[in-house]
């Protein structure tokens, strides 16, 4: 039997509204809100993929006139809907652009809603046509009753969790037939549309009535059989019920025409889609465009904003040269010696900086011109690798020629391993893009090329394939690799010329002082790595595994039977159904069951002994899987050390991030967590030296706020937490208890992160009122700090950005959002970034200052929050500790003393 043609009808505004709330905040590179149009587009493309329609029509609620048919019945219809923020309406025009580019008709009518248009189109449709309605509105269920060929494609949670509803599924899920939805709303009303329904009747009661009496007429035919208050409510509310029924009924005879040919899929304007996605920074959605799109290549933009003829025409016009012999390489080096700067890029057979082999080098110093030097391909004419490095070394190390790259730290480490020190590094396009705009924007070379230059680059998959069949670039032809690598260098140079002028004022000074000089420091740290005692971890694994088994047995005993403790649904069933643990405010998870997430479990502490055991079990399982089992697998076979990577482009405060593995997140609050640090050891005859800034963020807060009490405490060398506790509790410094100091410490740090009185109560076990009074008393003692916090919030709202002492800027347009959750989070961020970010900038300066001072004596290995760890011969450990302390304490004049504590040990755990 032939497949029936499929028509997809989209309830546009309903999906758009859902998208706006599902994706809380998203902007393009220009700071324009794009969350609603991104979610809408993503959902639309998912529907294309899942439903494979032959025809698609987008329906829309026309502005201002869309409810008049129902206003005549009930003037207050939809009257209570909240006015949406400006950024909601600002994104709507892009829906029309998207529809036009996809060749999708957009239907809207005066006086009718999108539901009415959909209902009419279904009524007029050929019965041989299969119809799917894309909507998250239950009103559309009523359309299933008389139309067995219709289905409803709904979003359950977010924008990607979808389900296709038919009559059977509606009845299974809601206990009523699809057509009864109208009468359900007639009885229970619908607050979202301000359909009143009958006062005092909710959905549960309405459902029971409809299951027994079928419909509204059936209920009123038997109303005298219904006892008590329910009878009275039904009688009193009869007129309202029938009015509500009319409001809830979709109109199926609206004056709209069915024109299937205009809705046929397959005729898309691919250039327009690419241009639209380019403006909106939706490169990630390109790969999700419908497969049946036309083969026409899209028009894109060059960096001047002019439309290019086709994507990748930059390659057709470019002069990409492959250097395949020594003579040509010498000529290239002669050219490079005459340049003030050039872009440099390496190609390798791996992304592991310790094991990767050099396959080729690429350079560019002019837009549209680049050179590739193949040195490690399996076949093809190329230059000997060592010879090529020897010839290139003088120009790569020439201090008078600036080096530019994209994620140039990788190229620095690769060349350092192969005998050449890349210097001076004056610009990194990846880091620069992040400095200019750190708001969730992708900094990959391909994404920046697309968003900033309008260039769609050659994907690496075109050369090496995907999945299990994927190879490495050394196995590709020299010619293919040359085009790919030269494009990398060319695009890097183009981005450099585009981004470099954008780094002005404080941002330029910041980059030149901290970001560029930090790159080789981080590269050297990544190459150095740190030793791991695998035997120690094996023994520790036995201990931790035994304790996990003990905990499982204890938990199962309390639960009255075995179950999968790591399964949220099974655990939820045990806690809330079997053990009947009752606690107000516990949220539900994605599956609809009560959540057992850590934040929800916190609310249950003390209610049952099983809760503490679950917390311990989770902690040990995380330690085991994340560290104890995983770390030995990450030891490099080249040198027996673990090599983490440090990223400058993840944390918007400017803090560095340790990744692959993340050594900054090893827990230190528990004894077992601290024992993992014991596995990181210095080789025989060597020691670790740690230097840790003491309370640097509080010192920065004191400096920024000019709070006299805090500044005096730091200048006098008094423990700030004891000082605060003494003032808060009205006791002498020497009478402050451990508990009082902890409470003071909690609020000292808490105010920097916007900690509420509720959170203070949780952290300190205070009653809520006591915690609230505690916060109020704290700010009465720190009036200048309070004034600073309120002032920075005000500045953030006015300027929509905050910055650190050194000028690192974090835009915060979301602070003016109408969504309280978003704006409140932005306020906390606005207070935190100048403080934490300034501390991070000071740490960067310290690392840059320390590197040459430690050269020949010690190697920096790790940067963990406010701490640096170096490794050296045990004979010079005390000397290294002094160098680190002196450098870090004097690297920046904060106006408040910087204090550094040092420690020496054989393993990381000893560095306390």
């Amino acid at each position: 039997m032939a497949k029936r043609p499929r028509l997809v009808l989209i309830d546009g505004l309903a999906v758009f509204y859902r998208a706006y709330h599902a994706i809380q905040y998203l902007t393009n590179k220009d700071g324009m809100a794009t969350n609603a149009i991104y979610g809408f587009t993503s959902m639309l493309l998912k529907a294309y993929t899942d439903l494979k329609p032959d025809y698609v029509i987008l329906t829309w609620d026309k502005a201002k006139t869309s409810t008049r048919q129902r206003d005549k019945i009930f003037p207050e219809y939809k009257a209570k809907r909240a006015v949406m923020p400006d950024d909601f309406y600002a994104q709507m025009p892009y829906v029309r652009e998207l529809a036009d580019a996809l060749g999708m008709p957009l239907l809207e009518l005066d006086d009718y809603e999108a539901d009415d248009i959909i209902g009419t189109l279904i009524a007029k449709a050929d019965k041989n046509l299969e119809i799917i309605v894309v909507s998250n509105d239950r009103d559309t269920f009523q359309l299933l009753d008389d139309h067995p060929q219709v289905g409803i494609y709904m979003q359950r949670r977010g924008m990607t969790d979808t389900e296709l509803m038919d009559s059977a599924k509606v009845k299974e899920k809601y206990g009523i037939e699809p057509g009864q939805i109208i009468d359900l709303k007639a009885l229970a009303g619908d607050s979202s549309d301000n359909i009143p329904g009958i006062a005092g009747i909710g959905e549960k009661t309405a459902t029971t009535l409809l299951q027994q009496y079928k419909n509204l007429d059936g209920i009123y035919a038997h109303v005298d059989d219904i006892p008590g208050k329910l009878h009275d409510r039904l009688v009193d509310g009869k007129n309202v019920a029938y009015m509500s029924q009319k409001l809830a009924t979709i109109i199926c005879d609206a004056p709209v025409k069915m024109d299937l040919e205009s809705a046929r899929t397959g005729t898309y304007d691919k250039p327009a889609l690419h241009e639209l996605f380019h403006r909106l920074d939706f490169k990630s959605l390109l790969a999700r465009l419908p497969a049946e799109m036309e083969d026409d290549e899209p028009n894109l933009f060059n960096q001047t904003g002019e439309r290019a003829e086709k994507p990748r025409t930059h390659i057709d016009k470019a002069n990409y040269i492959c250097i395949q012999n020594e003579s040509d390489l010498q000529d290239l080096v002669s050219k490079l010696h005459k340049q003030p700067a050039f872009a440099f890029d390496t190609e390798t057979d791996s992304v592991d900086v310790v094991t990767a082999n050099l396959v080729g080098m690429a350079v560019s110093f002019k837009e549209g011109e680049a050179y590739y030097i193949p040195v490690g391909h399996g076949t093809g004419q190329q230059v000997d690798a060592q010879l090529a490095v020897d010839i290139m070394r003088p120009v790569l190390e020439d201090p008078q020629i600036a080096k530019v790259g994209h994620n140039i730290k990788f190229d620095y480490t690769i060349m350092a391993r192969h005998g050449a020190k890349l210097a001076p590094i004056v610009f990194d396009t990846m880091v620069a893009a992040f400095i200019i705009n750190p708001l969730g924007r992708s900094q990959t070379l391909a994404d920046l090329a697309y968003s900033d230059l309008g260039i769609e680059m050659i994907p690496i998959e075109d050369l090496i394939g995907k999945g299990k069949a994927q190879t490495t670039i050394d196995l590709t032809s020299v010619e293919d690799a040359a085009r790919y690598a030269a494009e990398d260098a060319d695009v890097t140079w183009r981005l450099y010329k585009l981004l470099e002028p954008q780094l002005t004022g404080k941002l330029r000074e910041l980059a030149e002082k901290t970001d560029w000089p930090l790159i080789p420091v981080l590269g050297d740290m990544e190459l150095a790595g740190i030793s791991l005692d695998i035997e120690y971890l094996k023994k520790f694994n036995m201990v931790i595994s035994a304790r996990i088994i003990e905990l499982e047995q204890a938990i199962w005993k309390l639960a009255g039977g075995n179950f999968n403790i790591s399964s949220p649904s099974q655990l939820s069933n045990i806690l809330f159904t079997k053990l009947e643990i009752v606690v107000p405010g516990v949220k539900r998870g994605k599956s609809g069951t009560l959540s057992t997430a850590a934040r929800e479990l916190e609310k249950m502490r003390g209610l049952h002994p099983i809760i503490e055991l679950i917390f311990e079990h989770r902690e040990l399982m995380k330690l085991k899987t994340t560290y104890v089992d995983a770390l030995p697998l990450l030891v490099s076979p080249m040198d027996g050390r673990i090599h983490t990577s440090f990223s400058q482009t993840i944390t918007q405060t400017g803090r560095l991030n340790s990744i692959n593995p993340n050594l900054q997140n090893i827990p230190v609050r528990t004894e077992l967590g601290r024992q993992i640090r014991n596995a990181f050891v210095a080789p025989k005859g060597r020691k670790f030296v740690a230097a840790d800034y003491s309370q640097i963020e509080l010192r920065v807060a004191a400096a920024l706020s000019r709070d006299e009490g805090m500044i005096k405490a730091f200048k006098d060398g008094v423990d700030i937490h004891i000082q605060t506790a003494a003032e808060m509790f009205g006791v002498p410094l020497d009478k402050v208890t451990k508990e009082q100091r902890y409470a003071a410490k909690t609020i000292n740090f808490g105010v920097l992160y916007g900690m509420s009185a509720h959170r203070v109560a949780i952290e300190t076990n205070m009653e809520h009122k006591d915690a609230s009074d505690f916060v109020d008393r704290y700010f009465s003692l720190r009036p200048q700090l309070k004034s600073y916090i309120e002032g920075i919030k005000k500045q953030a709202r006015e300027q929509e950005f905050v910055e650190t002492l050194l000028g690192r800027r974090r835009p915060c347009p979301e602070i003016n959002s109408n969504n309280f959750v978003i704006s409140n989070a932005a306020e906390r961020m606005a207070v935190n970034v100048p403080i934490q970010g300034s501390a991070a900038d000071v740490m960067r300066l310290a690392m840059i200052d320390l590197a040459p001072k430690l050269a020949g004596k010690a190697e920096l290995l790790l940067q963990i929050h406010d701490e640096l760890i170096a490794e050296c011969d045990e004979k010079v450990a005390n000397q290294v500790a002094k160098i680190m302390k002196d450098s870090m304490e004097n690297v920046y004049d904060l106006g408040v003393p910087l204090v550094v504590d040092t420690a020496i040990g054989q393993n990381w755990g000893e560095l306390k």
Side-chain angles (χ1 to χ4, degrees):
M1 185 176 177
K3 171 185 174 289
R4 291 197 297 178
R6 176 175 288 172
L7 167 64
V8 168
L9 301 173
I10 300 165
D11 186 351
L13 190 58
V15 176
F16 189 81
Y17 183 87
R18 178 65 171 263
Y20 181 82
H21 291 285
I23 302 173
Q24 286 202 333
Y25 200 77
L26 187 68
T27 64
N28 68 354
K29 62 179 179 292
D30 298 321
M32 184 191 79
T34 57
N35 57 323
I37 186 61
Y38 180 86
F40 180 88
T41 307
S42 182
M43 179 62 202
L44 192 63
L45 296 179
K46 187 176 190 299
Y48 268 90
T49 301
D50 291 351
L51 304 177
K52 298 177 176 57
D54 299 287
Y55 310 95
V56 178
I57 296 174
L58 177 63
T59 67
W60 200 261
D61 291 313
K62 196 167 185 179
K64 297 183 181 178
T65 65
S66 64
T67 64
R68 285 185 184 166
Q69 289 291 329
R70 292 172 177 82
D71 287 345
K72 296 171 186 175
I73 302 169
F74 183 53
E76 287 78 33
Y77 178 66
K78 291 193 175 181
K80 292 184 179 180
R81 283 201 168 179
V83 176
M84 295 299 291
D86 291 343
D87 63 349
F88 176 82
Y89 296 104
Q91 296 178 63
M92 281 189 183
Y94 296 103
V95 173
R96 297 183 184 275
E97 279 198 63
L98 181 67
D100 288 344
L102 286 170
M104 177 197 311
L106 189 155
L107 299 184
E108 57 183 354
L109 283 173
D110 287 343
D111 303 338
Y112 294 89
E113 298 180 55
D115 284 354
D116 301 326
I117 299 172
I118 290 172
T120 302
L121 292 174
I122 290 173
K124 292 183 175 183
D126 188 305
K127 300 305 177 186
N128 187 48
L129 198 64
E130 184 178 73
I131 302 175
I132 305 295
V133 178
V134 177
S135 177
N136 53 286
D137 191 342
R138 287 193 301 169
D139 286 355
T140 55
F141 288 164
Q142 63 189 271
L143 299 172
L144 297 174
D145 244 17
D146 299 323
H147 304 283
Q149 82 278 26
V150 175
I152 311 294
Y153 182 78
M154 303 192 75
Q155 302 99 39
R156 287 182 292 197
R157 291 179 177 272
M159 297 304 294
T160 57
D161 183 8
T162 56
E163 64 180 332
L164 187 60
M165 302 291 290
D166 57 16
S167 295
K169 284 189 177 180
V170 171
K171 188 171 183 180
E172 178 187 348
K173 188 169 185 177
Y174 297 100
I176 57 176
E177 298 290 345
Q180 293 176 295
I181 285 288
I182 299 170
D183 291 342
L184 181 76
K185 292 196 172 191
L187 294 165
D190 183 345
S191 60
S192 65
D193 287 338
N194 200 32
I195 296 176
I198 298 176
I201 293 182
E203 283 201 5
K204 188 174 180 181
T205 301
T207 299
T208 302
L209 288 170
L210 290 171
Q211 287 170 343
Q212 185 171 356
Y213 299 111
K214 305 303 181 187
N215 54 38
L216 201 59
D217 290 342
I219 291 169
Y220 279 104
H222 297 85
V223 71
D224 291 336
D225 298 333
I226 300 171
K229 288 185 178 180
L230 182 55
H231 168 272
D232 297 340
R233 287 170 181 165
L234 286 167
V235 171
D236 293 343
K238 183 175 181 179
N239 290 337
V240 174
Y242 277 101
M243 179 193 71
S244 297
Q245 184 189 54
K246 289 181 181 179
L247 292 175
T249 301
I250 290 175
I251 297 168
C252 293
D253 59 355
V256 61
K257 293 181 180 179
M258 167 72 81
D259 182 5
L260 271 186
E261 272 312 303
S262 69
R264 187 181 293 277
T265 57
T267 51
Y268 305 91
D269 187 347
K270 193 174 180 183
L273 277 174
H274 274 262
E275 191 275 330
L276 176 62
F277 285 8
H278 174 265
R279 272 186 284 134
L280 297 174
D281 288 347
F282 287 177
K283 182 178 185 293
S284 63
L285 296 181
L286 282 175
R288 295 174 55 190
L289 291 175
E292 65 269 26
M293 294 189 71
E294 293 175 339
D295 292 330
D296 294 349
E297 291 292 354
N299 294 324
L300 294 174
F301 293 90
N302 58 31
Q303 67 184 55
T304 63
E306 297 172 346
R307 193 181 287 270
E309 295 169 16
K310 290 182 179 180
R312 302 186 192 165
T313 53
H314 61 288
I315 294 180
D316 298 334
K317 297 175 181 178
N319 183 24
Y320 290 168
I321 301 167
C322 187
I323 304 296
Q324 296 176 281
N325 59 63
E326 180 181 350
S327 175
D328 289 346
L329 181 55
Q330 293 285 8
D331 290 343
L332 173 60
V333 169
S334 296
K335 289 181 182 178
L336 291 173
H337 272 299
K338 298 174 185 177
Q339 306 305 318
F342 63 85
F344 181 77
D345 180 58
T346 57
E347 297 300 332
T348 60
D349 60 2
S350 167
V351 294
D352 185 333
V353 297
V354 178
T355 61
N357 293 304
L358 183 65
V359 176
M361 297 173 279
V363 296
S364 178
F365 48 85
K366 181 181 178 182
E367 180 177 325
E369 184 175 303
Y371 302 81
Y372 179 61
I373 310 151
V375 301
H377 289 268
T379 59
Q381 184 178 344
Q382 54 200 303
V383 185
D384 175 77
Q386 191 57 56
L387 176 63
V389 171
D390 291 342
I391 294 172
M392 287 286 289
R393 184 185 297 108
V395 73
L396 294 178
E397 297 181 347
D398 190 328
Q400 302 303 314
I401 304 174
K403 314 305 183 303
V404 174
H406 186 86
N407 189 21
I408 200 170
K409 173 163 61 69
F410 179 84
D411 307 298
Y412 171 87
T413 54
I414 294 298
M415 295 313 297
R417 276 188 47 238
H418 288 80
K421 282 278 187 178
L422 193 62
I425 294 172
V426 302
F427 204 89
D428 186 311
T429 52
M430 179 180 76
V431 177
F434 184 77
I435 294 173
I436 293 167
N437 183 6
L439 287 185
R441 181 186 181 199
S442 171
Q443 286 89 35
T444 68
L445 185 60
D447 286 348
L448 289 176
Y450 183 79
S451 63
D452 289 18
L453 303 176
I455 289 174
E456 189 178 1
M457 296 183 69
I458 304 167
I460 185 63
E461 289 81 10
D462 282 6
L463 276 72
I464 64 174
K466 297 180 181 180
K468 293 181 179 179
Q470 190 173 82
T471 60
T472 49
I473 199 167
D474 56 309
L475 301 178
T476 64
S477 72
V478 167
E479 291 73 19
D480 287 345
R483 193 169 74 122
Y484 173 82
E487 182 190 44
D488 277 3
D490 177 22
V491 168
T492 299
W493 181 257
R494 295 184 196 216
L495 282 172
Y496 163 61
K497 301 302 285 186
L498 181 69
L499 297 176
E500 196 272 341
Q502 297 180 34
L503 278 180
T504 58
K506 284 185 177 180
L507 290 182
R508 179 182 292 273
E509 188 176 348
L510 171 80
E512 292 175 349
K513 278 187 175 180
T514 68
D515 290 87
W516 310 149
L518 186 63
I519 289 170
V521 177
L522 295 178
D524 290 339
M525 290 169 64
E526 290 178 10
L527 285 176
I530 187 168
S531 290
L532 186 75
D533 188 338
I534 295 176
E535 289 304 314
Y536 171 87
L537 276 185
K538 285 181 180 178
K539 294 175 183 176
F540 184 58
N541 200 357
M542 293 172 64
V543 173
I544 205 170
S545 297
R547 178 55 183 159
I548 288 172
I549 292 172
E550 289 177 4
L551 287 168
E552 287 175 346
Q553 297 298 323
I555 291 169
W556 288 339
K557 184 176 181 181
L558 289 171
N562 295 8
F563 69 100
N564 183 355
I565 301 169
S566 299
S567 166
S569 60
Q570 291 186 37
L571 180 59
S572 178
N573 180 60
I574 292 294
L575 298 182
F576 302 112
T577 303
K578 192 168 184 180
L579 297 181
E580 298 181 336
I581 299 175
V582 179
V583 59
V586 173
K587 297 178 181 178
R588 293 189 180 272
K590 288 185 177 181
S591 63
T593 59
L594 289 169
S595 174
T596 57
R599 182 172 291 185
E600 305 309 314
L601 280 187
E602 282 284 354
K603 301 172 184 177
M604 305 178 215
R605 282 193 186 271
L607 298 180
H608 195 286
I610 199 173
I611 301 299
E612 293 304 319
L613 297 181
I614 290 169
F615 270 111
E616 186 181 353
H617 182 269
R618 283 185 175 179
E619 181 197 8
L620 295 189
M621 286 298 294
K622 182 179 179 180
L623 290 178
K624 178 175 169 58
T625 57
T626 308
Y627 299 107
V628 180
D629 292 341
L631 286 174
L633 302 178
L634 298 174
V635 172
S636 173
M638 302 291 285
D639 58 7
R641 294 166 77 94
I642 282 182
H643 299 264
T644 187
S645 297
F646 293 97
S647 173
Q648 296 169 265
T649 60
I650 294 179
T651 307
Q652 293 173 357
T653 60
R655 270 192 170 189
L656 298 175
N657 265 66
S658 165
I659 52 178
N660 301 323
N662 184 345
L663 298 183
Q664 293 175 334
N665 274 4
I666 296 177
V668 293
R669 291 189 176 183
T670 63
E671 180 57 35
L672 287 173
R674 287 190 291 270
Q675 285 184 43
I676 291 178
R677 289 191 168 193
N678 294 340
F680 294 90
V681 296
K684 187 176 181 181
R686 294 177 70 78
K687 292 286 187 182
F688 287 150
V689 180
D692 188 2
Y693 276 117
S694 173
Q695 300 165 344
I696 186 171
E697 290 183 17
L698 288 174
R699 294 171 191 271
V700 169
L704 288 172
S705 66
R706 298 184 175 89
D707 188 277
E708 295 173 359
M710 295 177 75
I711 292 173
K712 184 177 187 303
F714 285 127
K715 286 186 173 180
D716 292 347
V718 177
D719 182 311
I720 188 68
H721 303 315
I722 292 178
Q723 176 75 42
T724 300
E727 294 171 342
M728 293 286 287
F729 294 102
V731 297
L733 291 174
D734 60 353
K735 299 296 183 182
V736 171
T737 66
K738 186 177 181 181
E739 291 74 22
Q740 289 172 333
R741 183 184 184 277
Y742 178 77
K745 180 178 180 180
T746 298
I747 197 167
N748 269 333
F749 283 112
V751 295
L752 310 185
Y753 299 92
M755 183 181 287
S756 64
H758 174 71
R759 192 67 199 172
V760 171
I762 293 173
E763 293 287 334
T764 60
N765 292 319
M766 291 183 183
E767 293 296 326
H768 187 274
K769 186 181 184 306
D770 293 339
S772 182
D773 293 342
F774 193 69
V775 172
D776 291 341
R777 191 159 66 254
Y778 179 84
F779 280 122
S780 70
L781 293 168
R782 299 276 183 264
Q784 289 157 300
L785 180 60
K786 182 177 182 179
S787 177
Y788 166 76
I789 290 172
E790 294 307 314
I792 203 70
K793 289 179 184 177
K794 182 174 182 290
Q795 176 192 319
R797 284 190 289 269
E798 291 172 353
Q799 299 181 349
E800 295 195 337
F801 73 84
V802 291
E803 60 184 13
T804 67
L805 283 167
L806 271 68
R808 190 176 304 280
R809 183 171 291 189
R810 200 288 194 182
C812 54
E814 68 270 33
I815 199 167
N816 290 317
S817 170
N818 288 23
N819 185 315
F820 173 76
V821 175
I822 294 174
S823 61
N824 197 41
E827 279 193 355
R828 292 195 299 271
M829 179 278 302
V831 174
N832 178 241
V833 164
I835 296 170
Q836 190 179 95
S838 294
D841 285 341
V842 170
M843 175 59 82
R844 288 171 179 241
L845 291 175
M847 295 171 72
I848 294 163
D849 185 65
L850 265 176
K853 293 178 179 178
L854 293 179
K857 301 182 185 68
E859 292 179 305
L860 284 175
L861 304 187
L862 298 177
Q863 189 274 318
I864 309 293
H865 306 311
D866 304 326
E867 177 184 28
L868 286 174
I869 298 175
E871 182 185 303
C872 64
D873 287 341
E874 56 187 357
K875 295 179 293 185
V876 296
N878 289 323
Q879 181 188 354
V880 167
K882 185 177 186 308
I883 292 172
M884 293 177 75
K885 180 178 176 65
D886 291 346
S887 174
M888 292 170 69
E889 288 184 342
N890 296 290
V891 74
Y892 185 81
D893 184 5
L894 190 62
V896 176
L898 289 172
V899 173
V900 171
D901 300 318
T902 60
I904 299 170
Q906 194 63 42
N907 64 60
W908 188 0
E910 293 177 1
L911 303 176
K912 298 178 182 177

